[in-house]
Amino acid sequence: MPSSGILKNSMNEECGPSLKKRHSIVSGRSDFWSSSDEDEGVQPHEKAIAAGQPNPPYCVRNIEQHDFGRREIEIAEQEMPGIMALRARAKDDKPLKDAKIVGCTHINAQTAVLIETLAALGATVRWAACNIYSTQNEVAAALAEAGYAIFAWRGESEEAFWWCIDQCCTPTASWQPNMILDDGGDATHLMLKKHPAAFKQIKGIVEESVTGVHRLYQLSKAGKLSVPAMNVNDSVTKTKFDNLYSCRESIIDALKRSTDLMFGGKQAAVCGYGEVGKGCCQALKALGCVVYVTEIDPICALQAAMDGFRVVKLNEVIRQVDIVITATGNKGVVTRDHMERMKNGCVVCNMGHSNTEVDVHALRTPDLMWERVRSQVDHIIWGNGKRIVLLAEGRLANLCCSSLPSFVVSVTAATQALALIELYNAPAHRYKADVYLLPKKMDEYVASLHLPTFDAHLTELTDEQAKYLGLNKVGPFKPNYYRY
Ligand SMILES: NC(=O)c1ccc[n+]([C@@H]2O[C@H](COP(=O)([O-])OP(=O)(O)OC[C@H]3O[C@@H](n4cnc5c(N)ncnc54)[C@H](O)[C@@H]3O)[C@@H](O)[C@H]2O)c1
């Protein structure tokens, strides 16, 4: 359970009734802002509205799942050392004191750790999901039970999705948001469009996704961004962990869980040798696969060759490979023509840009039969009996077929928390109404928060060495253009 300090902090009147009162409501089963899993088809907010509570203090699927959700959060805490270290170090200073944060992210055990950290650092939060399918209902229940204003459940309707976000963005007598933590830009968008006056009171936006960052740059270009925003998507620590290290592990997990494949001796083609492709190739090679790489960029192709991979055109190996993985960020990389020539049983999956890399559309023709053999696994069957195995209909295989390691989310969460702290505490002149990257020193700090887990000991620069390299002894240690 969260510490009493955190509870106290989150139990202010903006977040609804006191925990005591809420308990009594819940035990009396009049918790109309939560419904049971058996309530299929009924959206929880409809119950709240029907009961004359259009603005409930929280709205989740089933509050009674809170114990299960709390255990999930505690498990996640064990594998999120960086964000937990930040919580421990900053909880006395309360760098987010009086911050009122609108959050719109996936709601799972790992984000719950972030939410409770922000509260421990002094913030009050109201939180909605950025995706209608990804909410862990039991975690949302645990957060609501602990006193957080959570509006999210798995399987939200489109209308419910926006209702939930609006519950967080709408200013009231006791809730005037002053920060936004967004993943995809929907909270930012809604607030700007529906509550423009409240949007002007925002001190800063922290955005995590490629799409959201793109929208922010567009707003900035159009002169419509009136507050500073931090692009944490492109923070070096996040990029490395999300793209390289996380994919290195999750590609294997996704393939194993969905196909029970043995990797030793199999032939795999990986399209694209960027961060994601490099991670996939390393993992497959380590398990004894024969790995081919396709690339358009001579630098990445040379890197692949130096790392011991054969660089080929997909056409050259398409008849012999057992696995094809796309990781290019591009479209139409694996075409119907390629799939026509694949051998029986070839597994096709995408780790790159969501459902554009494999031309899945071209497989939806009357001459091919689709057979759903497992969740996220389709067999596409030709007239002669040949079948290929398509994962997640060409969407990101690791996100659909496996789970994201908590450690990776710890890095992202610590980066988000620091970005919020920086924007919230920065003197007025430091950031204009524009999109910024997190200062490198903070990226370095995020990494340093995770080092004790590995009992890693940093070497300190001597005065002479620092002078020789022209560096401050405490960083930043690299120029902004350094690529790692
Ligand atoms: N699955 C995940 O969890 C996950 C995580 C992070 C990023 N991504 C996504 O993965 C994609 C790749 O990310 P990245 O960081 O590796 O990008 P990157 O730009 O570092 O690498 C992509 C590589 O693909 C190459 N490429 C482009 N078109 C190609 C083609 N037609 N054939 C062969 N190679 C081609 C490029 O030259 C580049 O080297 C992006 O869409 C990114 O959003 C997925």
Side-chain angles (χ1 to χ4, degrees):
M1 286 297 287
S3 73
S4 55
I6 300 167
L7 273 180
K8 220 184 288 159
N9 187 280
S10 61
M11 293 309 302
N12 57 30
E13 53 190 6
E14 288 97 348
C15 292
S18 73
L19 189 59
K20 200 161 156 236
K21 184 171 169 208
R22 197 168 301 177
H23 271 305
S24 69
I25 294 167
V26 170
S27 57
R29 297 305 308 137
S30 55
D31 52 328
F32 38 72
W33 45 79
S34 124
S35 59
S36 72
D37 273 347
E38 293 79 56
D39 264 339
E40 280 301 322
V42 180
Q43 296 279 317
H45 74 304
E46 290 168 0
K47 288 178 79 182
I49 294 165
Q53 277 280 323
N55 305 113
Y58 65 87
C59 198
V60 300
R61 175 59 82 184
N62 183 358
I63 192 77
E64 289 180 356
Q65 294 178 328
H66 64 86
D67 274 344
F68 174 29
R70 179 54 56 190
R71 281 202 301 281
E72 291 287 309
I73 296 170
E74 284 167 359
I75 292 169
E77 284 174 356
Q78 301 303 313
E79 256 300 283
M80 299 185 71
I83 190 78
M84 293 304 285
L86 183 64
R87 189 189 292 188
R89 282 188 203 183
K91 72 177 188 318
D92 294 333
D93 291 345
K94 300 252 180 290
L96 291 173
K97 185 170 178 292
D98 297 329
K100 293 193 166 53
I101 303 172
V102 170
C104 185
T105 65
H106 298 285
I107 294 186
N108 50 36
Q110 293 88 1
T111 32
V113 178
L114 169 64
I115 290 170
E116 297 198 323
T117 300
L118 299 178
L121 304 193
T124 306
V125 304
R126 290 178 77 82
W127 219 274
C130 69
N131 182 295
I132 58 172
Y133 294 120
S134 65
T135 297
Q136 267 180 289
N137 283 340
E138 62 280 7
V139 169
L143 289 168
E145 169 70 11
Y148 297 96
I150 300 294
F151 301 87
W153 54 92
R154 186 166 40 249
E156 289 167 6
S157 64
E158 173 84 8
E159 186 262 328
F161 174 77
W162 290 109
W163 179 88
C164 288
I165 298 176
D166 203 28
Q167 291 299 308
C168 303
C169 293
T170 308
T172 65
S174 54
W175 174 251
Q176 288 92 37
N178 50 26
M179 300 293 293
I180 298 176
L181 177 53
D182 221 350
D183 182 349
D186 289 327
T188 304
H189 172 80
L190 186 136
M191 195 139 183
L192 184 60
K193 285 270 168 318
K194 201 169 166 194
H195 309 289
F199 187 78
K200 289 213 174 77
Q201 303 307 312
I202 296 290
K203 286 188 81 168
I205 301 168
V206 173
E207 171 58 57
E208 165 175 1
S209 75
V210 180
T211 320
V213 164
H214 182 65
R215 282 178 172 184
L216 284 173
Y217 281 116
Q218 279 179 329
L219 279 179
S220 168
K221 216 168 147 195
K224 291 183 184 161
L225 188 67
S226 53
V227 297
M230 206 66 100
N231 161 8
V232 296
N233 177 64
D234 294 308
S235 283
V236 65
T237 37
K238 184 193 179 263
T239 317
K240 280 284 170 190
F241 276 84
D242 245 26
N243 302 25
L244 177 66
Y245 302 120
S246 182
C247 291
R248 189 172 70 180
E249 303 206 4
S250 56
I251 180 61
I252 301 296
D253 191 34
L255 284 166
K256 278 254 188 244
R257 283 193 204 206
S258 50
T259 64
D260 305 321
L261 207 68
M262 175 100 185
F263 292 94
K266 291 279 185 337
Q267 299 194 42
V270 176
C271 304
Y273 200 69
E275 300 285 9
V276 175
K278 286 182 175 79
C280 294
C281 288
Q282 275 182 29
L284 292 164
K285 185 179 180 182
L287 288 176
C289 274
V290 178
V291 183
Y292 302 99
V293 168
T294 75
E295 251 301 341
I296 53 158
D297 177 341
I299 297 176
C300 298
L302 186 58
Q303 278 187 304
M306 296 303 290
D307 289 337
F309 300 109
R310 286 280 318 281
V311 181
V312 296
K313 289 183 198 276
L314 190 54
N315 277 336
E316 296 168 36
V317 293
I318 197 68
R319 287 185 191 280
Q320 72 204 54
V321 288
D322 304 283
I323 308 165
V324 177
I325 299 166
T326 51
T328 68
N330 205 341
K331 61 185 276 207
V333 177
V334 174
T335 61
R336 168 82 186 245
D337 184 49
H338 290 126
M339 292 183 276
E340 289 288 340
R341 286 179 289 141
M342 284 173 186
K343 69 181 185 191
N344 185 37
C346 183
V347 177
V348 181
C349 79
N350 170 41
M351 290 287 286
H353 196 51
S354 197
N355 71 23
T356 60
E357 302 217 10
V358 179
D359 191 359
V360 175
H361 185 66
L363 291 174
R364 298 201 188 272
T365 52
D367 56 324
L368 297 182
M369 199 170 86
W370 282 59
E371 192 178 290
R372 172 65 41 126
V373 294
R374 280 180 178 171
S375 164
Q376 308 291 356
V377 187
D378 288 295
H379 282 184
I380 319 296
I381 307 164
W382 269 256
N384 62 4
K386 175 189 114 166
R387 50 181 75 202
I388 64 168
V389 183
L390 177 67
L391 301 192
E393 295 179 61
R395 294 186 303 273
L396 294 187
N398 59 333
L399 297 194
C400 296
C401 308
S402 91
S403 56
L404 210 53
S406 298
F407 194 88
V408 171
V409 190
S410 176
V411 173
T412 310
T415 310
Q416 288 167 316
L418 283 171
L420 285 166
I421 293 170
E422 170 67 11
L423 283 179
Y424 187 65
N425 293 290
H429 55 83
R430 187 177 295 166
Y431 297 107
K432 297 194 289 279
D434 207 343
V435 188
Y436 293 86
L437 283 174
L438 196 67
K440 182 162 294 281
K441 219 166 151 27
M442 295 215 167
D443 260 340
E444 290 173 355
Y445 185 63
V446 171
S448 75
L449 284 172
H450 290 83
L451 286 179
T453 312
F454 307 106
D455 194 21
H457 304 262
L458 277 179
T459 302
E460 282 169 29
L461 284 171
T462 63
D463 290 338
E464 243 184 3
Q465 287 173 330
K467 199 165 161 213
Y468 182 68
L469 292 177
L471 292 175
N472 188 317
K473 279 176 80 173
V474 292
F477 298 100
K478 296 285 193 297
N480 278 337
Y481 54 80
Y482 187 79
R483 307 269 173 120
Y484 299 88

